[in-house]
Structures are given as C-alpha cells and as structure tokens.
Amino acid sequence: CGAGEAVAAWTAKAMGGSVKFEDALAARLDLIKPSRSDIADCLATHPPQLNSGVAELVELLHARGTAVYLVSGGFRLMINPVADMLSISHDRVFANTILFDEAGNFAGFDASEPTSADGGKPKVIGMLKEQHG
C-alpha cells in the first residue's frame, strides 16, 4: 500500500507509549485500508508459521484438558488461521476485528474489542482468570 514508513512510525509511537494503542491502531488501519481480499491475498502469500514446539505444547495442553486461548493485538482474520492450525476454537481467540462494507472494503474496526485499547491484553487475561480461576 506504500505506507510502510508511516505505519512503522505509528507502531513505534504506540510501542514507546507516546500515543494510545487504539489511536495508533486506527491511524495505521486508516493508512492501509485493508480490504477483505487484501487480507486473503496476504495470508495466501505469507501463510502463518508456528515456532518450533508450539504445536506440540498446545497438543499436550489439550490432551490434559487445559483450555488454550490466543490473545493478540493483531487481527482475527490473521489469528484465526493460527487457531485452526492449533485446534483452538475461535471463541477462545481474543483479537481485533476489522470491519468491512458489503463489497469487502475496509470500513473500520470494532473498538469494543478489549484488545483494541491500551492494556487490552492484560484486561483479557484478568477476565479469563476471573471466569476460569
């Protein structure tokens, strides 16, 4: 999309704490404006790859009855394929949702997702601890 430098600058601002995560997320998405087909093309060109040992660890956790969750500041459309690779139900994925119009064009993101805001991942972990101990 030709916005790599600007996206990287917003990422650095968010990581450095000079802007809120949700503001950087909105700005980066506004620069990129990914369509549904852009994301599908990206996944086809760059399929998710797991680090060594991750699949085995998750398989062992599943075997002993341990619930496994994925909590990410990334996007569901990119994280759900990883969940599929690890046999993790999509209802155990906490990530950001990109919104699209009827034609599949970028229309924003779901700001109600806890992972779309500063401190979102710790908030999800706290919620899971309250629900499941």
Side-chain angles (χ1 to χ4, degrees):
C1 70
E5 286 185 26
V7 170
W10 276 105
T11 301
K13 289 177 190 179
M15 298 297 282
S18 64
V19 297
K20 290 182 179 179
F21 179 80
E22 56 266 34
D23 295 338
L25 178 64
R28 290 179 291 181
L29 284 170
D30 194 48
L31 287 165
I32 300 168
K33 292 184 176 29
S35 67
R36 190 176 292 280
S37 65
D38 289 338
I39 293 172
D41 291 346
C42 179
L43 285 168
T45 304
H46 307 284
Q49 296 182 354
L50 301 176
N51 288 341
S52 177
V54 169
E56 294 80 6
L57 172 62
V58 172
E59 186 177 332
L60 288 169
L61 291 169
H62 284 311
R64 65 183 274 197
T66 302
V68 179
Y69 295 84
L70 295 179
V71 181
S72 174
F75 304 107
R76 287 184 186 278
L77 287 173
M78 308 295 274
I79 305 301
N80 282 345
V82 175
D84 294 341
M85 294 168 67
L86 296 170
S87 299
I88 297 171
S89 174
H90 290 187
D91 66 344
R92 291 187 174 171
V93 173
F94 291 86
N96 296 305
T97 301
I98 298 175
L99 305 174
F100 301 99
D101 65 17
E102 290 177 11
N105 298 309
F106 174 72
F109 70 97
D110 183 352
S112 71
E113 296 276 9
T115 54
S116 71
D118 272 350
K121 288 185 274 186
K123 182 177 179 180
V124 169
I125 299 299
M127 179 190 70
L128 291 172
K129 286 174 79 173
E130 278 183 30
Q131 290 176 357
H132 305 289

